[in-house]
Each structure stands twice: as C-alpha cells, then as structure tokens.
Amino acid sequence: MSQALLQTNLGDLPLTARGKVRDIYDLGSNQLLFVATDRISAFDHVLATGVTDKGRILTQLSLFWFDLLKDTVRNHLVTADAAQFPASCAPYLDQLEGRSMLVKRAEMFPVECVVRGYISGSGWKDYQQTGAVCGIKLPSGLRESDRLPQPIFTPAAKNNIGHDENISFQKMIDTIGQKPAEDLRALTINIYEKASKHAASKGLILADTKFEFGLIDGQITLADEVLTPDSSRYWPAETYNPGGAQPSFDKQFVRDYLESIHWNKQAPAPGLPPDVVEKTKAKYLEAFRLITGRANL
C-alpha cells in the first residue's frame, strides 16, 4: 500500500492556508493551487494517521461534479491537469498529480450553504430540542433520517476552530445582504435537487450537503470541494430505513473506532489501525465508483 500524503512541501511556493484536508498555495495572477492531502479529521481534530488516496478521491469527485453542474453554476476551476500548471509547480508533480486543482481566487462568502433533504446529524438534534432546524419549523412526529417534505436551506457561519455554527436565514441576510442571501439559497437548493437526481440514479440518497461560494468578477461562483463524502451525507438507497441512523459513505468507521477507545477528543489526536484505514478508504472508493461510474481514479 502506498503511503498517505499528510502534508505537502512545495518548496518556495507560498502556502496561504493549511486546512483539515487541503493545503492552499498562492500562485499569483489571482490563482490558487488547492492540494487535497490524505489527512482525515474527526471530532474537530486532524488524526495522526491519514487515509491513503483520500485526497485523490475527493479531488476526482469534485471534478466530476463541477463538470456535471457546469450548466447550473459557475465554478472556480481553471485546470486539474498538473502538466498545465505554472512552471513553478513542475518539481512537485509527485505530490500534485490527481489530487490538485488550479483555481481562480474568489472573494468567499463567510457562510456555509447547507441544504438538507432528510433529517439527520445536527439537524436531527436541533429538531428534537426545538421542532425546528435553523429557525425553520418542521412537521411534528418526524423520525431520524425521515425525508423532509421539501429540501430546506440551513446556513452556517464559518468558524476557523471547531464546528461551523448553524445560523438562521435572517442572520445570513444580516451578514451578507438580502439579495446575495436569497440568490445563494435558491442556487444551493437547485444544485442539491440536480445532484440528488443523479445520486438516486446510482442507488444513492443524498441526505444533505454543504457548498461554499464566492464572487469572481462579481458573479457567484461555486468553490472548494463539491458533493464529496467529506461534505455530504450519502446513504445506500437499498437499505434506507428511517427511524434511526443510516449506513453512510463517509468516515463513520473512524468515528466508531475513536468512540470505542474512549478518546477524550482532545489534542493530540490518536492514529488509526490499518483495518479502520482500509475500511474507510473502501467506503470513499465505493462512493466514487457509484457516483462517477468509473472503476479507477
């Protein structure tokens, strides 16, 4: 098994951000280099062990969705062909191929655009406490994982540390303005509905997802990753059974392992045993193959 890439080292290229998964470099001319590493996080901590090829899977899935949605929304992609990257990237192709994107710099909105078609995760917790999610009143008597009467837009404020904070739509309006908020809400739901139809055709339920948008040349543009198992909750349709949590194509094996060892969810984060790494990689790969119809990365 090849080794997981936990951190890039691109010499003198200026690193502008190192997130939970992506390393971002400034290449000048309003262009950024996004590199998806094999880091994996859980409970708001990056773990000591990565998942081999996770970054490639996330990147290739994002590229698939950018292409599928290109008639629905602009995106920030310039090219994912490392051979077309600026010459300054050439010495580092071994770190870049298959897991990186050259993108246009966008002026990012400070909100996560979350859409939910089913009641799960933090939305389910909110509903149990208040009967609503982000201030949106929902029908009484819903069960965990029930399909909602219609998709709901539940934005979140971006936090640099810890969980993003669920906010009301009014708070989003107060933050970015009425028209941008309404435009982002409509676009988010439109993308979700189109993506849900594609997922359903592949035997998957897209329960919820989140998008990030920015402005490029004054136009709303889809950025970052799109509809990956890191940003979305996918369930196999054939086993869907509302009334509890559903099996999902994500890092649930990682969460389950960390709960089993009673980690206190404080730094330093532990590593993962090989079987948990392999099971997690297999889930990500299965999602990739179902969604894209491709056997290989």
Side-chain angles (χ1 to χ4, degrees), residues 11-290:
D12 294 332
L13 294 184
L15 179 72
T16 63
R18 202 185 293 280
K20 289 179 180 176
V21 174
R22 284 165 188 79
D23 293 347
I24 303 176
Y25 293 84
D26 186 348
L27 299 187
S29 303
N30 281 323
Q31 292 187 333
L32 300 173
L33 182 67
F34 276 41
V35 189
T37 71
D38 296 328
R39 296 192 291 267
I40 191 164
S41 65
F43 305 115
D44 298 320
H45 291 272
V46 176
L47 304 183
T49 308
V51 174
T52 310
D53 287 334
K54 175 174 173 280
R56 297 181 192 276
I57 296 167
L58 297 183
T59 300
Q60 297 305 312
L61 268 173
S62 289
L63 293 171
F64 171 84
W65 285 112
F66 279 142
D67 184 62
L68 189 75
L69 297 166
K70 63 187 177 186
D71 294 331
T72 303
V73 60
R74 286 169 46 117
N75 64 69
H76 68 163
L77 179 66
V78 176
T79 182
D81 180 358
Q84 297 184 37
F85 290 175
S88 57
C89 300
Y92 313 109
L93 291 187
D94 59 325
Q95 298 178 61
L96 300 178
E97 286 183 323
R99 64 170 73 244
S100 56
M101 299 186 296
L102 183 67
V103 304
K104 297 176 184 176
R105 181 190 291 275
E107 180 187 349
M108 299 301 293
F109 290 103
V111 289
E112 297 269 10
C113 291
V114 182
V115 56
R116 305 172 189 273
Y118 294 73
I119 187 75
S120 187
S122 64
W124 169 243
K125 293 177 183 176
D126 289 350
Y127 173 76
Q128 288 180 291
Q129 295 170 358
T130 67
V133 181
C134 289
I136 300 171
K137 190 70 177 175
L138 296 176
S140 60
L142 290 177
R143 301 162 296 173
E144 183 178 5
S145 305
D146 261 337
R147 185 174 183 172
L148 297 173
Q150 60 189 28
I152 59 173
F153 180 69
T154 59
K158 293 181 186 177
N159 289 329
N160 290 328
I161 300 175
H163 279 298
D164 294 330
E165 174 194 358
N166 289 346
I167 59 174
S168 67
F169 185 62
Q170 183 58 53
K171 179 67 178 292
M172 181 175 174
I173 291 173
D174 295 342
T175 303
I176 68 171
Q178 180 94 28
K179 188 176 189 308
E182 290 179 350
D183 288 346
L184 288 176
R185 177 174 63 181
L187 187 54
T188 295
I189 292 174
N190 187 16
I191 295 171
Y192 172 78
E193 289 176 339
K194 183 167 185 177
S196 294
K197 288 179 182 177
H198 176 80
S201 75
K202 303 297 184 178
L204 295 173
I205 292 171
L206 177 58
D208 53 49
T209 189
K210 63 181 179 180
F211 303 115
E212 292 198 38
F213 296 95
L215 292 175
I216 297 177
D217 299 328
Q219 293 188 288
I220 291 176
T221 303
L222 183 61
D224 199 43
E225 67 175 337
V226 186
L227 293 157
T228 73
D230 270 12
S231 64
S232 315
R233 203 182 309 265
Y234 288 103
W235 299 330
E238 64 180 4
T239 58
Y240 173 59
N241 183 26
Q246 307 296 303
S248 56
F249 292 87
D250 59 13
K251 47 193 171 187
Q252 194 58 48
F253 288 116
V254 172
R255 299 188 194 99
D256 291 347
Y257 168 75
L258 294 173
E259 293 286 16
S260 75
I261 64 171
H262 306 293
W263 174 45
N264 64 5
K265 302 182 178 79
Q266 302 293 319
L272 301 172
D275 66 311
V276 173
V277 171
E278 283 303 300
K279 287 177 181 176
T280 302
K281 178 180 176 179
K283 274 294 178 189
Y284 276 72
L285 272 174
E286 187 179 0
F288 167 82
R289 290 167 180 157
L290 286 171

